[in-house]
Amino acid sequence: MSELAVEKSVYDADAVRAQFPILHREVHGKPLVYLDNAASTQKPQVVIDALDDYYSRLNANVHRGVHRLSQEATDAYEYGRKAVGRLLGVDDDRQIVFTRGTTEAINLVAMSWGMANLGEGDEIVLSGMEHHSNIVPWQLVAQAKGAVIKVLPIGDDGAIVPGAAEDIIGPRTKLLGITHVSNALGTINPVRELADLAHAQGAVVLVDGAQAAPHVAIDVDALGADFYAISGHKIYAPTGIGALYGKAELLEAMPPWQGGGEMIRSVSFEKTTYAPIPAKFEAGTPHIAGAVGLGAAIDWLLDLGLDAVAAHEDALLAYATEQLLALPGVRIIGTAPHKAGVASFVVDGAHPHDIGTFLDMAGVAIRTGHHCAQPVMTHFGIPATARASFAAYNTRSDVDALIKALGRVIEVFAR
Amino acid sequence: MSDLMELYQEVILDHGRRPRNFGPLEGATHHARGYNPLCGDNFTMHLIVNDGVIEKVSFEGEGCAISTASASLLTERMSGAPIAEFQPLFDGVHELVTGGFPDTDVDLGKLEIFVGVGNFPMRVKCATLPWHTCKAALKGEEEATTE
């Protein structure tokens, strides 16, 4: 291996970290150790600069005026769409619809595709580890249309029980909704296998990619996803922007779900015709700055290299898991063979919220609670977990700070 | 004393670990469930109320150390107390955990140990959930809310 190649293969987390201004602040007089990345990631300077530049130089409404600013704002906005396409392995970016985030993307599919295509007795198959945002929209459709929700059960390791999908996905299955990576457990699901089973029954496959996008290289065709939903704020971009990938023939056949400006071709009180995709699904003035920031974040992430980031995070997760298990009374929730980015755990005698407060006072930010995945908590018979989740900028010393603070929790509570 | 140690005083840790009056209550006349969906704290309180007096209070369920200790200390304080004492104590605890010592003349007694919650706005509802639950039970409501 040449010297250059060796140099390139070394992932410099400290250099990555240096690009995030917020990681240099203190919390309660302690350096911030941010391990709540599965809830939301911090933003690199390039993304902050992109927002600043947008509002300082480009701000105007998109796809409207003939004036220069409108054209430049439109170009910047559409650049964001192309960036999402690059992230998801999609060439035809008409298939990328901007949304507020994963939640809105799933609601779009439920309300548009679901309401038009689901009927009495049709089955919607979801996994037992779905985030509430991939459960509740389907319940709304199921209630309205008489469809039925079936659940792929999870086992003690937090993976879908082997063989369950073969039994549950059947001729009545119209939609499979599956998370690519579980936010509560870190489990990476075998999306392709499940998608093949669903497609064999003529069903459509929606993948919740909110938690996968920052951790795994994605190719929607290789995964067998007909729809793939992501959130910007989990991949170093602003909040309030996300995207839905949908196969062109599906999106073209779907009715609009929100009406307004931007999504029309012509309007009269007698008849309105709709714009082609993706504009058909983007009623109203969008979060233009968000899309610009998302484009900058994706460029940044792809430049860093998703494989390199994934390898770094895998190593951190392995280190954190080993260190956590070395503490007395700590149990990891979610021990599937394939995991990404998340160490969910409980500590004997210490409630997750008390853990969270102790860690916060040590400058360590983690998530505690049910992680918007109450069925997962019910499955494990626990009210909540503490969750440390990793991003490109985390280091082993972040893990060490977590473990040190947890040692104090155990001293106080596990007596 | 650090903020953290003021929050997690020994009495609170003790009641969090070994809650008093924990379990069902035979002959209970009033019940209510208190649930905080944000954190999962989930308690049911049982009361025997007779002739204007709360004769006995017990609770079941699960929550963090703060909410469990708050429920436990509530049961100790209110068991045997006249109903009329409840609301002033409720108000006093609420003031204590949101801003400091209340200027009312209610004697909070042991409940003053929750003063440390005032430095942790995210934990106020942990301390107040049992009080809201008890209030709901006294009003004959099945569910308490901390909103």
Side-chain angles (χ1 to χ4, degrees):
Chain A
M1 204 186 271
S2 76
E3 210 171 302
L4 190 70
V6 171
E7 215 167 274
K8 207 169 160 47
S9 73
V10 175
Y11 184 89
D12 188 350
D14 289 324
V16 175
R17 184 182 184 83
Q19 300 175 51
F20 288 74
I22 204 170
L23 297 177
H24 300 104
R25 68 162 283 183
E26 293 190 340
V27 168
H28 305 301
K30 310 274 178 14
L32 170 64
V33 174
Y34 189 78
L35 294 173
D36 192 19
N37 297 289
S40 198
T41 52
Q42 300 302 344
K43 319 307 171 198
Q45 190 63 51
V46 287
V47 169
I48 298 168
D49 288 348
L51 295 177
D52 185 77
D53 182 59
Y54 171 75
Y55 283 120
S56 304
R57 289 199 313 118
L58 305 177
N59 179 57
N61 213 330
V62 290
H63 304 135
R64 302 285 200 283
V66 295
H67 62 78
R68 182 61 184 243
L69 289 191
S70 178
Q71 184 56 51
E72 290 186 3
T74 301
D75 290 347
Y77 178 71
E78 291 301 326
Y79 182 86
R81 194 187 310 276
K82 290 187 181 71
V84 175
R86 282 202 302 282
L87 182 76
L88 302 182
V90 176
D91 288 332
D92 177 359
D93 61 24
R94 294 179 307 132
Q95 302 179 105
I96 305 296
V97 178
F98 280 124
T99 64
R100 282 191 293 136
T102 303
T103 297
E104 190 176 63
I106 296 172
N107 274 275
L108 189 165
V109 178
M111 293 305 145
S112 171
W113 182 89
M115 286 301 213
N117 290 284
L118 293 171
E120 193 75 29
D122 284 343
E123 292 175 2
I124 300 163
V125 175
L126 307 172
S127 86
M129 71 182 88
E130 295 309 307
H131 188 283
H132 296 165
S133 60
N134 202 22
I135 299 174
V136 184
W138 300 112
Q139 288 174 329
L140 294 173
V141 180
Q143 277 159 19
K145 307 300 284 189
V148 178
I149 291 175
K150 298 244 169 167
V151 181
L152 301 174
I154 57 177
D156 290 342
D157 61 352
I160 293 170
V161 173
E166 285 82 348
D167 293 338
I168 289 171
I169 295 171
R172 301 241 48 186
T173 303
K174 286 285 160 58
L175 178 116
L176 168 68
I178 182 81
T179 189
H180 193 172
V181 173
S182 157
N183 73 307
L185 302 166
T187 311
I188 303 176
N189 280 313
V191 171
R192 180 61 198 235
E193 277 172 45
L194 297 168
D196 285 349
L197 288 171
H199 286 147
Q201 303 291 346
V204 162
V205 175
L206 175 140
V207 181
D208 170 353
Q211 214 58 54
H215 301 298
V216 239
I218 296 160
D219 178 329
V220 290
D221 287 335
L223 283 169
D226 300 305
F227 295 106
Y228 197 97
I230 63 166
S231 290
H233 73 100
K234 293 195 201 279
I235 48 171
Y236 313 99
T239 56
I241 189 75
L244 171 72
Y245 157 78
K247 279 211 160 72
E249 58 266 34
L250 286 167
L251 290 176
E252 278 165 349
M254 283 157 56
W257 78 309
Q258 290 176 343
E262 182 90 5
M263 53 77 73
I264 51 88
R265 188 191 300 276
S266 74
V267 176
S268 72
F269 282 106
E270 289 70 39
K271 183 172 174 55
T272 291
T273 54
Y274 305 122
I277 61 166
K280 183 168 75 173
F281 296 106
E282 293 182 3
T285 298
H287 184 9
I288 306 165
V292 171
L294 179 55
I298 290 172
D299 279 349
W300 177 85
L301 185 57
L302 293 180
D303 194 42
L304 200 57
L306 264 168
D307 289 335
V309 170
H312 170 68
E313 290 167 349
D314 284 350
L316 270 186
L317 179 59
Y319 178 60
T321 303
E322 172 199 304
Q323 295 290 306
L324 283 166
L325 290 175
L327 293 169
V330 173
R331 185 160 59 100
I332 305 270
I333 304 296
T335 50
H338 302 290
K339 281 182 65 175
V342 166
S344 235
F345 59 93
V346 292
V347 179
D348 283 348
H351 190 279
H353 278 89
D354 298 314
I355 298 172
T357 293
F358 261 72
L359 265 51
D360 178 53
M361 294 306 283
V364 180
I366 61 158
R367 171 78 191 267
T368 59
H370 53 57
H371 316 296
C372 298
Q374 287 183 352
V376 173
M377 301 298 118
T378 305
H379 171 77
F380 285 99
I382 48 180
T385 74
R387 179 188 71 185
S389 51
F390 305 100
Y393 41 68
N394 288 122
T395 61
R396 281 167 78 101
S397 62
D398 291 338
V399 175
D400 293 337
L402 166 74
I403 297 300
K404 186 174 170 223
L406 272 176
R408 179 89 182 101
V409 170
I410 291 164
E411 262 174 45
V412 171
F413 288 94
R415 283 181 290 166
Chain B
M1 191 164 22
S2 74
D3 285 352
L4 200 53
M5 286 303 104
E6 189 181 24
L7 177 65
Y8 290 102
Q9 294 188 36
E10 199 48 51
V11 178
I12 290 180
L13 289 172
D14 177 47
H15 279 258
R17 270 186 218 115
R18 299 183 302 111
R20 321 298 198 265
N21 303 310
F22 189 78
L25 183 59
E26 199 164 326
T29 55
H30 295 63
H31 310 267
R33 175 176 179 245
Y35 176 56
N36 182 346
L38 292 177
C39 66
D41 286 350
N42 188 1
F43 294 109
T44 302
M45 304 209 87
H46 309 287
L47 288 75
I48 299 173
V49 179
N50 196 5
D51 212 13
V53 173
I54 301 171
E55 292 182 345
K56 180 86 183 154
V57 189
S58 83
F59 78 106
E60 299 177 87
E62 58 192 341
C64 62
I66 306 297
S67 57
T68 305
S70 177
S72 175
L73 283 153
L74 181 157
T75 64
E76 278 196 341
R77 177 64 185 257
M78 292 314 300
S79 290
I83 290 181
E85 273 186 19
F86 179 79
Q87 190 60 41
L89 274 174
F90 178 99
D91 294 338
V93 168
H94 199 266
E95 271 185 66
L96 180 76
V97 300
T98 52
F101 284 92
D103 52 8
T104 58
D105 50 9
V106 58
D107 179 13
L108 291 174
K110 219 172 173 182
L111 299 171
E112 282 185 1
I113 57 167
F114 287 100
V115 66
V117 176
N119 292 319
F120 295 85
M122 306 291 277
R123 306 302 301 274
V124 168
K125 285 182 179 178
C126 306
T128 56
L129 180 66
W131 290 88
H132 283 281
T133 310
C134 190
K135 185 173 178 173
L138 285 170
K139 283 164 70 181
E141 295 168 354
E142 286 175 4
E143 287 265 356
T145 168
T146 53
E147 298 310 315

